[in-house]
Amino acid sequence: MKKSRVLAVIMAVLMMVTLLPSMVFATAAPSGTLDGKLKVKGTLAIGSTLSADYSKVKPEGITDDNVSFSWSLKDGDLLTEVGTDKTYKIDEKDLDLPIVLKITGKEETGVSGELTVTTQEVSETEEEAKALAEKKKEEAKAAGTSEEPDSAQPEETTEPAEETESADVQENTGTQGSTDEQESADTQEPAENPVVEVNGNGEQSGSQNTDETDASGDSQTETPASADTAADATEKNEEPTYSASAYTEDGSGILDFGSVEEGYTEIPEAQMVTITNSGTGDLNFKEIAPENFMAADIDDAPLKSGESVTVWVKPREGLKAGEYKDLITYQTEEGADVFFEADFTVKEPENKKVEDNENNEQTDPGETSDPATEKIYKLTANPTELPFDDLTAGYEKVETTSTVTIKNEGTEAVTLVQPESEFFDIAPVSEVESSGNIQLAQGGEQTFTVQPKLGLSAKDDPYVEELVFASDESTEASATVTASVMVKTETPKTVTATVKPEGPLSFGTLEQGYETAPDAQTVTVKNTGTEAIRIQLSVPEDYVVGEPSAEVLNPGDEAATFTVQPKIGLQAGDHSGLISVTDQNTGNALGEVRLEFTVSEPEPDPDPEPEPGLSVTDSLEFGTKEEGYKELPDEQTVTVTNTGNTKIVLKQPSSNAYTIGTLSATELEAGDNATFSVQPVSGLSQGEYLEDIVIANDANVEAYVNVHFSVTKKKADNGEKANNLTGIKKPSDIKDLPNGTQKTQKALKLPGTVKITTTKGEQKASVKWDVKGSSYDPSSAERQIFNVKGTVILPEGVKNPNKISTVIAVSITVNGYQGTEAAASDNKITGIDSNGKYDTNTKITFTAAGAGMDNTNPRKGDTRYQPKSWKITETRTWDGEPYTATFRVSKPGKYTLKVTFGQQKYDGSSWKDTGTQSESTVTFTVSQAAVLTATPSPAVTQTNQKSAVQTGDSTPIMTFVIILIVAVVCIGGILVYRRKKK
């Protein structure tokens, strides 16, 4: 081929490439009213993600950008909106409820109207969803439905920040090879404020079109091989496979139990089979009950991939003569079955063979028995299996007793023979029936009690025994009941716990005088035994130990914790300690925690600033003497201490009214002290001798001691009677003060005076109360009973020669906090008008406001009303704040909104339900909204548009324009070149 022709072909191809998007560019964006049939893609099972399928929706070309979404749950007459995104992820709360998808056209994109589709009920698993879909299809066919219900189509969904799942999407129309495009969608979480739609007739209607669909249970629809490609296969996630295999002990795949003679009482020994999960998914085995053999169930837990389990198999007791070749099949919920053969031969007894031969010889071959006179012997048992609860070795009593009823279903009366059992006690129900033989007439019944015998020892496999109820009349009349019980080894009782950390808790080292303690550290106690423990702690003197988070720990409970922290103000030295953790019930030691903390000596200041200081005894009281006294009051001692950091020299103090002793020391180093004595002088005349005795010093530090001595005028002996104290009347106890009463004399209603008795009669005396020294805590909510001490001040002229105590005490009771009672009448419903009028298009949002819910600082005893649920036609509940809901009523009528409030009481740490409830209601009316017909916007033409036509295609056109220009230039160059050549 010539070069010119090659170039021409290349140019032609390039021009064709540039023309490929021409049809796309010419296609207009979808415009018009929504019509056709809306479908839902995805599996209607918990955890799956749903999206809209527009394959049969008109106008063609509709995408997620042309519509808005509303996903709702249909529960009777209520529609609860749970999402408004383009996809919706099915949650556990959706189980057994249909899902309604409503799409509404966005008029700004040229699309109007709405379509609605309702799915089948949500299933728990994909398998259940598939089965439900098949069932609905069969029901539709049986009902003669002309159109087969649509199926929810599976699609590829993307979980945010999670693993991505892929699945082929195929419309189930019966046409092979028609596969929907895979779409990617974000999962939709439920809306914060769900919208509930109420429909009086229980149906959901859209303004344009509503289709009822059921959902396919498949999480992935299998695409025919003709439609698959290699590229598609690489994009699919690998599904788990389910398969299993069985291996006998000899590797033959057959369990041969040999042969026995009919009437055998000893069952051949059980043989073992190993079953292995050879697939990639977990296998859940169903219960197994072969007709002629007994086999162990695999029901402990799912069998993981690659794991094996060993089961036992053995023949049943009482099999009739014959050859038994049974296929023992273990079935799984996933459909993967595993089977093996079990062989067992029961021979006919020799004596029976002889009797049969003799009977055959005596029987006339020409004679036949009359079926009408044939005797039938038949016994049945109900139930046929008696599994008992597990027992523990050493049990002394069996709590469970089972019963079995034997019925005569033959034509003749029989004498019932009660079986003897090695492992089980069997007895007729009544005493009368237990004496002698038990006769069963035709159709008669006899009930027996069965329970495991006492003293069975523990073993790895259960005690299994076949109890055969026979009759004297015929060997054929028998009923077999299989009883089984497991006896486990007794678990020894242990009282143990782990205390962590196991090593010492170190709080480091701080200098003496520290003002902030080291951070508290946490200790955990975990019950590792079989019995409950009650935690008891030993508290070291130098540490603060918090209360355990739980005083009692049962086996399996979360670990309890407590905190440890050194005290503030410890002196220099080693302050190691030990916390012992014991069980208060048994006294057993559970563990211990060693504590380490050191306080170091303070570092001396190398050049301290002189800070002189002195402390002196506060005051001295020498009492009262009558003028002319001869006996002096006892001398008292004054102590002077150098509290500064420098040396101080003291000067000897002096006084005219007091005799001052000599200082024991005049030079005091820092921390040293000196003493001197003080005593009133004799011969003082009447008067009050109140004086500050000053201790002068070279540092000019103010230091003095206040002393007092009283001398009264000597009274003439004129026969006047002395006024001496004879008693003090104690004030009455003070009761029922309100909680929170202030800690003052006035608030506590303490009297200012009390009555005293003297030799001259009664009179009043003042009292000085020590309110601060009482134990009363005004911040406590508990009831408090405490004493306040007071000192009686005797009036002028009253003597107390008998030294009667002037200290009195009054008992005061402050009531406990009773709590603030919230009134049910204060419960409110806001956001909706009482007797209000709304239409079917109105979304109504209301809020339930419970009385006392604004109590942010509750005290023990306070009450409140918490919103619990609301109801129009169906009851809806709140899990917590905000107590708000939104609903829409789609059928005209008069409705009542009822909100239920539950009373709660604060126990000091949390709010607790009291069981008391209150209801508030609001009645409103809903009318039919006007039906609006949406008119599509007119198509934009070249005469009235200024911007480019929106085609819905995002293909870059500039690339093709450049290729077209290059092709034209090349073709023109070739033509010019050929002309010049000619």
Side-chain angles (χ1 to χ4, degrees), residues 242 529 928:
Y242 302 101
Q928 179 64 51

Side-chain angles (χ1 to χ4, degrees), residues 449-462:
T449 60
V450 182
Q451 70 174 178
K453 290 184 176 181
L454 296 177
L456 296 180
S457 58
K459 64 174 188 174
D460 294 337
D461 53 348

Side-chain angles (χ1 to χ4, degrees), residues 43-113:
T43 304
L44 284 168
I46 295 174
S48 299
T49 300
L50 306 181
S51 61
D53 178 7
Y54 311 111
S55 58
K56 294 186 179 181
V57 174
K58 297 179 181 179
E60 295 182 359
I62 291 293
T63 67
D64 292 340
D65 297 331
N66 300 117
V67 297
S68 61
F69 302 83
S70 174
W71 299 87
S72 302
L73 296 178
K74 184 177 181 181
D75 186 1
D77 295 337
L78 291 181
L79 289 177
T80 304
E81 185 176 74
V82 292
T84 56
D85 208 340
K86 59 185 177 183
T87 61
Y88 176 66
K89 185 175 182 180
I90 300 177
D91 193 71
E92 291 183 359
K93 70 177 185 304
D94 307 339
L95 185 63
D96 297 329
L97 295 177
I99 294 178
V100 178
L101 169 61
K102 180 172 70 176
I103 61 172
T104 303
K106 296 181 179 179
E107 296 191 3
E108 64 269 22
T109 65
V111 180
S112 61

Side-chain angles (χ1 to χ4, degrees), residues 114-186:
E114 63 182 34
L115 289 177
T116 305
V117 60
T118 304
T119 71
Q120 71 179 31
E121 295 82 357
V122 172
S123 301
E124 187 170 1
T125 63
E126 296 180 0
E127 290 75 12
E128 293 176 0
K130 182 176 181 181
L132 180 59
E134 293 298 327
K135 179 181 177 182
K136 288 187 177 291
K137 290 180 181 179
E138 293 299 328
E139 291 175 352
K141 291 180 181 178
T145 304
S146 59
E147 182 178 356
E148 184 176 346
D150 293 332
S151 299
Q153 302 298 323
E155 69 167 353
E156 177 180 315
T157 63
T158 304
E159 300 287 350
E162 298 287 336
E163 63 178 354
T164 301
E165 297 179 357
S166 299
D168 291 339
V169 181
Q170 178 181 358
E171 182 180 343
N172 188 11
T173 61
T175 304
Q176 293 185 353
S178 60
T179 307
D180 293 339
E181 284 188 20
Q182 294 182 346
E183 296 182 275
S184 177
D186 295 332

Side-chain angles (χ1 to χ4, degrees), residues 277 282-285 298-304 307 334:
N277 183 349
D282 296 351
L283 294 179
N284 294 274
F285 287 86
I298 308 174
D299 56 2
D300 291 338
L303 191 62
K304 302 293 185 182
E307 293 183 352
E334 291 75 16

